[in-house]
Amino acid sequence: MATLGMSEDERTAIERFQRDVVEPSMTSLVILYFTAAWCGPCKQLSPIIDKVVGDYAAKGVTLARIDVDAEKFLAAQFQIRSVPTVYAFFQGQPVADLTQYRSEGQFKRAFDQLLGQLPVKGEAQDLAAQVEPLIAMGEEVLAGGDAPRAESIFAQIRDMDPDNPAVLGGLARAMIAGGKTDEARSLLDSRGEEQAKHPAIARARAALEVAAAPAVDVSAEQARLDANPDDHEARFAIAQAAMAAGDRDSAADALLEIVARDREWNEGAARTRFLQMLEAAGFEDPWGRAQRRRLSALLFT
């Protein structure tokens, strides 16, 4: 906004806008909220915006409220014809018009989308940058088979970022790998409904289910299977025992054989168990990718 020929009040208004909106927007997502004391819809919207912006403050979202009666010049500059009017500002420019949004869910979805697209810098992003390489270290140690050290690493990261599902999922899997299934189950059960849906928590839950397979003598089941290759119950028990022994290749072979012979057996139990093994392994695991190809070839050819 040019200041030539402006009154002192107008220049002061621009300076306030520069200080309260433009400068913070260089690193933060500023929600610019035009409102008025007489506006009924504004009275309903204000607590919603206050709450959502507060929830996202650590992610670099801030609120700038402008009363159109007190700031007539700014309202005119933005050609505000009705209130409430809500814009998202980043690096000195409007990046989204949020005026039509009225619910907490709508604003959260909009914020999530904008934060996913823009290089906003907040406490949460700074913490994520610190935690990400440490999580990678913990995963590497866990993949290398050192469950106690991996558990120690993830426990230390949890002290830094207590509610990070990737950290909690890694910690639970390290506990499971170390034989601490009860502790892992307690940790996973303590997660809220929303966090329980996170892929890292779901992966840990799948690992827990796989680890819970009973370690039993299946010589009788093997004899039954030798006598009748379509004894899926016996083959499934053998697969469970292989999982308990950590022999995931044998477990996968047995489960896929059941799927090949009767994919709907026991309401698809073999396929469900097989998918749990894949989820526990993780999407990037080379073994898991190879097994997914085997399952796809079986189901779609």
Side-chain angles (χ1 to χ4, degrees), residues 4-137:
L4 187 64
M6 291 182 180
S7 69
E8 184 64 28
D9 287 344
E10 290 171 344
R11 279 195 291 270
T12 300
I14 289 177
E15 290 172 1
R16 274 199 305 272
F17 184 81
Q18 183 76 21
R19 181 190 67 236
D20 297 340
V21 178
V22 176
E23 291 178 4
S25 78
M26 291 299 107
T27 56
S28 300
L29 182 67
V30 178
I31 305 306
L32 186 57
Y33 175 34
F34 290 93
T35 182
W38 46 263
C39 170
C42 299
K43 294 176 182 177
Q44 295 177 326
L45 186 61
S46 290
I48 294 173
I49 288 184
D50 287 341
K51 181 181 186 304
V52 180
V53 171
D55 290 343
Y56 280 73
K59 296 182 180 181
V61 179
T62 64
L63 179 63
R65 184 181 272 101
I66 295 180
D67 187 310
V68 295
D69 292 327
E71 298 284 3
K72 289 184 173 63
F73 176 73
L74 290 179
Q77 291 295 307
F78 280 90
Q79 300 182 354
I80 302 301
R81 294 182 172 85
S82 64
V83 287
T85 294
V86 186
Y87 296 130
F89 249 69
F90 184 66
Q91 293 186 342
Q93 300 293 327
V95 292
D97 184 348
L98 310 180
T99 300
Q100 301 304 315
Y101 297 161
R102 289 292 183 270
S103 72
E104 184 176 333
Q106 287 176 322
F107 280 109
K108 285 186 173 182
R109 285 190 290 273
F111 288 3
D112 287 338
Q113 183 177 13
L114 290 168
L115 291 172
Q117 296 171 344
L118 303 171
V120 175
K121 296 179 181 179
E123 292 178 11
Q125 289 88 339
D126 290 342
L127 180 60
Q130 297 177 46
V131 164
E132 187 174 343
L134 300 178
I135 293 175
M137 180 194 303

Side-chain angles (χ1 to χ4, degrees), residues 211-232:
V216 295
D217 180 6
V218 289
S219 54
E221 283 78 5
Q222 187 61 57
R224 284 167 49 192
L225 190 61
D226 292 341
N228 177 16
D230 285 325
D231 188 338
H232 304 320

Side-chain angles (χ1 to χ4, degrees), residues 214-260:
V216 295
D217 180 6
V218 289
S219 54
E221 283 78 5
Q222 187 61 57
R224 284 167 49 192
L225 190 61
D226 292 341
N228 177 16
D230 285 325
D231 188 338
H232 304 320
E233 184 178 356
R235 196 184 298 275
F236 191 77
I238 292 169
Q240 297 269 72
M243 280 191 285
D247 185 356
R248 60 183 184 178
D249 286 328
S250 296
D253 290 345
L255 293 171
L256 286 177
E257 184 64 24
I258 296 173
V259 173

